[in-house]
Amino acid sequence: MVAHEIEYKLHGDDMQFVEIELDPGESAIAEAGAMMMMDDGIEMETVFGDGSNQSKGLLGKLVGAGKRLITGESLFMTVFTNHQMEKKHVSFAAPYPGKIIPLDLKEFGGKVICQKDSFLCAAKGVSVGVEFQRKLGTGFFGGEGFIMQKLEGDGLAFLHAGGTIIQKDLLPGEKLKIDTGCLVAMTKDVDYNIEFVGKVKTAFFGGEGLFFATVRGPGSVWVQSLPFSRLADRVLAAQSGGKDEGSILGGIGDLFDGD
């Protein structure tokens, strides 16, 4: 597998977008709706799956699309191809505040495992598939972490995560405990599992959930400080406070108002 050798530039800080430079004949793939802007001369094509198996006939296309359906993503992806004789640019925007992580898959053994909602775009030739965790505990209690995506190939791929992102490089046998929603990605050699917090009182009243993810080296993991699910929960909680949020008399006032 040989992916297209694209070049890129990141713009912004908290609401980033990535600008990809395509040489004549080069292509990039992206999730539907991720495109921000593109130069005239770049053509868009909607394909089944990730676009890396288009030469395998109808069966290959259906397999690729089926894998994406399992992860909850769209059956389709968009391929952006430069059909002109000069370099062109296409930009892809992050869906919510956070950071874009560029990953050269050659540097990580040709495979990175990531949360199913974190993939943004990649060079054409990068395969986007499904990574099933074989451990029983992970399957029953992993939540979003049970079915993860795998990015395979030798090209550039771009992930997006919320808040601040940190890369932790683990030594052989080194173990790290992470909130299940904060784990963004990991290299293929990292051992991953779901563990119970250990104490019933802590589990029910600690506010951190019943389970956390454990990762064991060797390898690298990427961790986000603000998962989108946590951000959404805070927004919904703020909306439920209504117009009198912050006032101790808000609830009493609503009784008299008939709310």
Side-chain angles (χ1 to χ4, degrees), residues 34-208:
M35 194 274 291
M36 173 183 169
M37 61 181 176
M38 62 181 180
D39 291 341
D40 186 31
I42 292 180
E43 295 186 8
M44 298 170 49
E45 180 184 7
T46 301
V47 298
F48 279 109
D50 55 27
S52 65
N53 55 6
Q54 296 307 297
S55 62
K56 297 182 180 180
L58 179 60
L59 180 59
K61 296 178 182 180
L62 291 176
V63 170
K67 291 178 179 179
R68 292 180 51 75
L69 184 62
I70 292 174
T71 62
E73 303 292 344
S74 169
L75 286 174
F76 303 94
M77 294 189 74
T78 308
V79 178
F80 299 81
T81 305
N82 179 13
H83 288 291
Q84 302 300 307
M85 299 304 296
E86 64 273 1
K87 294 182 178 181
K88 297 291 183 178
H89 299 83
V90 57
S91 299
F92 303 98
Y96 55 90
K99 301 293 183 182
I100 294 176
I101 312 168
L103 298 176
D104 188 345
L105 297 181
K106 292 194 302 290
E107 299 179 0
F108 300 103
K111 179 179 178 180
V112 169
I113 302 167
C114 62
Q115 288 279 16
K116 61 186 180 65
D117 295 324
S118 61
F119 174 72
L120 181 63
C121 59
K124 186 176 181 181
V126 171
S127 174
V128 184
V130 180
E131 179 74 11
F132 287 102
Q133 296 296 330
R134 295 183 296 273
K135 297 181 179 179
L136 186 62
T138 308
F140 280 109
F141 306 115
E144 292 181 340
F146 173 44
I147 300 178
M148 303 183 76
Q149 286 185 329
K150 59 181 178 181
L151 308 178
E152 295 179 297
D154 55 5
L156 279 168
F158 299 88
L159 305 181
H160 175 265
T164 300
I165 291 86
I166 184 172
Q167 178 180 339
K168 299 284 290 185
D169 298 318
L170 304 178
L171 298 174
E174 185 178 0
K175 185 177 179 181
L176 186 66
K177 300 178 181 180
I178 308 173
D179 181 278
T180 54
C182 292
L183 178 61
V184 178
M186 56 190 170
T187 53
K188 63 180 181 179
D189 294 327
V190 172
D191 182 61
Y192 169 73
N193 202 1
I194 296 292
E195 291 186 7
F196 182 63
V197 295
K199 297 181 180 179
V200 175
K201 181 180 178 180
T202 303
F204 283 98
F205 303 109
E208 301 298 334

